[in-house]
Amino acid sequence: MEETDSKTDENSVYIVIKNASKPSIQRYKTRSIKCMSIVHLICGAVTFWLDLAKIFIIADSDENALAGFCSSLFIITGIVGFISLKATNKCKISAFLVLSILSSIFGG
């Protein structure tokens, strides 16, 4: 039994990968994040005003219960994007990316 243990140790291959890439905070593109945040805020404002007009035009619709949800998600995503530009850390980057994905799902 001891012979097989020593043979597996001799025949093992160890791969060491040195990570020389920049950390995620240094790779964070501030200009593109700023543009995405502005687009999210604009989309949120447009969606909010369209939902508000829909509430007044079609007053008895059951769909008006979720009227502000999608617009608030866009607006929150834009605000989180601007906050992540001011004091960048991994948590804010992840929060912005997740909210961007969710707002694209609900907006589509």
Side-chain angles (χ1 to χ4, degrees):
M1 187 72 169
E2 291 178 13
E3 293 177 9
T4 55
D5 288 337
S6 64
K7 288 182 182 177
T8 57
D9 287 336
E10 291 174 4
N11 295 332
S12 298
V13 176
Y14 296 100
I15 299 173
V16 178
I17 299 173
K18 191 173 183 178
N19 191 3
S21 66
K22 296 179 185 177
S24 61
I25 295 173
Q26 290 180 350
R27 289 184 283 138
Y28 200 54
K29 307 289 185 194
T30 56
R31 185 175 179 190
S32 57
I33 299 302
K34 190 174 187 178
C35 292
M36 283 177 60
S37 298
I38 291 170
V39 168
H40 275 96
L41 287 173
I42 290 171
C43 288
V46 168
T47 307
F48 175 75
W49 289 110
L50 289 175
D51 286 341
L52 197 62
K54 187 173 120 180
I55 288 173
F56 288 121
I57 292 172
I58 308 171
D60 295 332
S61 177
D62 292 334
E63 296 176 4
N64 290 337
L66 296 174
F69 177 71
C70 290
S71 64
S72 64
L73 192 59
F74 276 110
I75 292 171
I76 290 171
T77 304
I79 291 171
V80 168
F82 278 120
I83 290 172
S84 70
L85 288 175
K86 298 295 179 191
T88 305
N89 59 22
K90 289 182 182 182
C91 180
K92 290 178 185 173
I93 293 171
S94 299
F96 178 67
L97 293 176
V98 168
L99 283 173
S100 294
I101 292 169
L102 287 177
S103 64
S104 67
I105 290 171
F106 283 111

